[in-house]
């Protein structure tokens, strides 16, 4: 059982570093179906953050509502352009975890989703026909991050 003090905690976002913000945003919006909820640009430190998420409001939430509610959402992806990797103790472990980890999306029809990714020219790390697990796939984003694709009824 989780400590009572953590009852209101939520998983807010995962941040990935990207080489080309336009290419990354196009992938996550056009291919994956997310939208840019909010942007933050720090010109002094020369970095930008793009917060992406799925819109489950059926288009009812305004851009302002999405932006102001950014820190109350769960499951956002933050694409960071220009954020330096801090050099500190444990950096090698952080880099290894980033490389060996992955993102995941769940879809209604995995076969249809994979066929669409194929038509769009998305690179696959693992197709449904590869390996022993025939009910999951892995695609790659423009920066090589693995994205696991699982059916919503995955068990």
């Amino acid at each position: 059982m989780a400590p009572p003090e953590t009852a209101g905690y939520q998983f807010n976002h995962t941040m990935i570093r990207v080489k080309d913000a336009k290419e990354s945003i196009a992938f996550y919006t056009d291919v994956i179906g997310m939208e840019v909820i909010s942007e933050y640009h720090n010109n002094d430190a020369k970095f930008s953050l793009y917060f992406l998420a799925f819109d489950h409001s059926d288009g009812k939430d305004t851009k302002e509502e999405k932006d102001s509610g950014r820190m109350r959402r769960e499951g956002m992806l933050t694409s960071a352009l220009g954020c330096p990797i801090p050099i500190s103790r444990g950096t090698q472990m952080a880099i290894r975890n980033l490389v060996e980890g992955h993102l995941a999306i769940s879809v209604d029809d995995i076969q249809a989703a994979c066929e669409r990714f194929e038509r769009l020219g998305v690179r696959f790390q693992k197709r449904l026909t590869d390996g022993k697990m025939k009910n999951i796939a892995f695609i790659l984003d423009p920066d090589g991050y693995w994205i696991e694709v699982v059916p919503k009824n995955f068990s």
Side-chain angles (χ1 to χ4, degrees):
M1 183 168 168
E5 298 87 0
T6 65
Y9 288 15
Q10 293 178 305
F11 178 79
N12 181 254
H13 70 271
T14 294
M15 189 275 285
I16 60 172
R17 288 174 172 81
V18 300
K19 295 177 214 158
D20 183 326
K22 287 182 183 177
E23 183 179 28
S24 181
I25 289 169
F27 177 85
Y28 283 99
T29 57
D30 299 341
V31 175
I32 302 298
M34 299 175 106
E35 67 175 284
V36 176
I37 299 297
S38 182
E39 296 180 22
Y40 172 77
H41 304 282
N42 186 322
N43 294 327
D44 293 334
K46 297 182 177 137
F47 75 87
S48 294
L49 301 175
Y50 302 89
F51 296 87
L52 295 106
F54 293 104
D55 179 15
H56 295 293
S57 75
D58 294 325
K60 294 175 187 160
D61 289 349
T62 65
K63 180 157 180 52
E64 292 77 21
E65 289 170 323
K66 291 174 186 175
D67 184 44
S68 67
R70 173 181 72 193
M71 291 305 171
R72 293 185 301 277
R73 288 190 69 122
E74 287 194 88
M76 284 192 306
L77 175 67
T78 304
S79 292
L81 177 66
C83 285
I85 297 174
I87 303 302
S88 62
R89 200 176 117 199
T91 297
Q92 289 299 322
M93 180 59 77
I95 292 170
R96 193 184 98 211
N97 288 340
L98 183 62
V99 171
E100 291 180 3
H102 65 270
L103 307 172
I105 60 170
S106 56
V107 298
D108 292 323
D109 183 337
I110 193 165
Q111 187 69 42
C114 288
E115 288 170 4
R116 179 175 172 270
F117 297 146
E118 191 77 47
R119 283 193 312 274
L120 293 171
V122 173
R123 295 178 299 153
F124 278 79
Q125 181 65 35
K126 181 208 173 290
R127 287 181 165 72
L128 290 174
T129 55
D130 297 340
K132 293 180 180 180
M133 297 183 73
K134 304 294 185 193
N135 55 351
I136 66 169
F138 282 90
I139 59 175
L140 300 170
D141 84 351
D143 290 284
Y145 289 104
W146 292 26
I147 302 170
E148 182 177 8
V149 184
V150 297
K152 285 186 178 177
N153 61 356
F154 186 76
S155 57

